[in-house]
Amino acid sequence: MKPEISLDFQFDSSIEKVWHALTDSTMLAKWVMDNNFKPIVGHKFQFRTEPTKHWNGIVDSEVLVVEEPYRLSYTWVTAGEDTTVTWTLKKIEDDTHLHLEHTGFQSESLSYNGAKYGWVKMGTELETLLARFQLN
């Protein structure tokens, strides 16, 4: 069985606000990485950050699914791994449940462990960001 990352987050924010944080390039840059993302199926984009000793800091991606405000999916190709990230949002009264599935890893490699660590860290950063910004 191939390893997958499956994480759940609960935010005291509207589903529209969480969707905005997932799909607005400027917002994504604040909690994931700099990017040229657009929520358009077929759009090819990159996430970029400073390279490290083990990684060039570039993720090549293509938008696969945009079902506003419930589901977003894109490829995540980096460090020899061709994987898929899928976000599923669910409104629970005034809060939002956010589920992440990151699939397609070949093994519990450095890429898998780096992504697992990174998504937990970025989830915390997303929570902080959502608490600070107002949706107009």
Side-chain angles (χ1 to χ4, degrees):
M1 183 173 179
K2 293 182 179 180
E4 298 179 355
I5 298 170
S6 178
L7 297 171
D8 291 288
F9 305 94
Q10 188 83 19
F11 299 113
D12 182 21
S13 299
S14 70
I15 196 168
E16 293 81 10
K17 192 174 178 181
V18 176
W19 179 259
H20 183 73
L22 291 173
T23 59
D24 179 81
S25 178
T26 302
M27 293 293 287
L28 274 172
K30 292 179 181 178
W31 68 278
V32 181
M33 290 177 243
D34 286 335
N35 66 86
N36 58 341
F37 176 85
K38 293 180 184 175
I40 300 169
V41 173
H43 175 67
K44 293 182 179 176
F45 65 102
Q46 287 185 328
F47 286 106
R48 289 180 165 264
T49 192
E50 293 296 318
T52 67
K53 181 179 175 184
H54 302 288
W55 180 48
N56 68 1
I58 299 171
V59 178
D60 291 304
S61 298
E62 180 177 351
V63 178
L64 302 173
V65 176
V66 178
E67 295 173 6
E68 184 179 355
Y70 303 108
R71 193 162 170 254
L72 174 69
S73 183
Y74 43 81
T75 61
W76 185 277
V77 181
T78 189
E81 293 272 4
D82 186 349
T83 60
T84 302
V85 171
T86 301
W87 299 100
T88 305
L89 296 82
K90 184 176 179 182
K91 181 177 180 176
I92 300 175
E93 297 182 3
D94 293 334
D95 296 344
T96 301
H97 176 86
L98 178 64
H99 179 73
L100 165 69
E101 289 284 336
H102 192 160
T103 61
F105 293 97
Q106 296 302 308
S107 66
E108 290 193 22
S109 62
L110 186 62
S111 296
Y112 168 78
N113 288 309
K116 190 173 180 180
Y117 169 80
W119 286 124
V120 170
K121 181 176 180 265
M122 288 184 273
T124 301
E125 291 174 10
L126 175 58
E127 183 173 25
T128 301
L129 178 67
L130 289 168
R132 285 193 330 229
F133 100 94
Q134 299 291 319
L135 185 63
N136 297 324

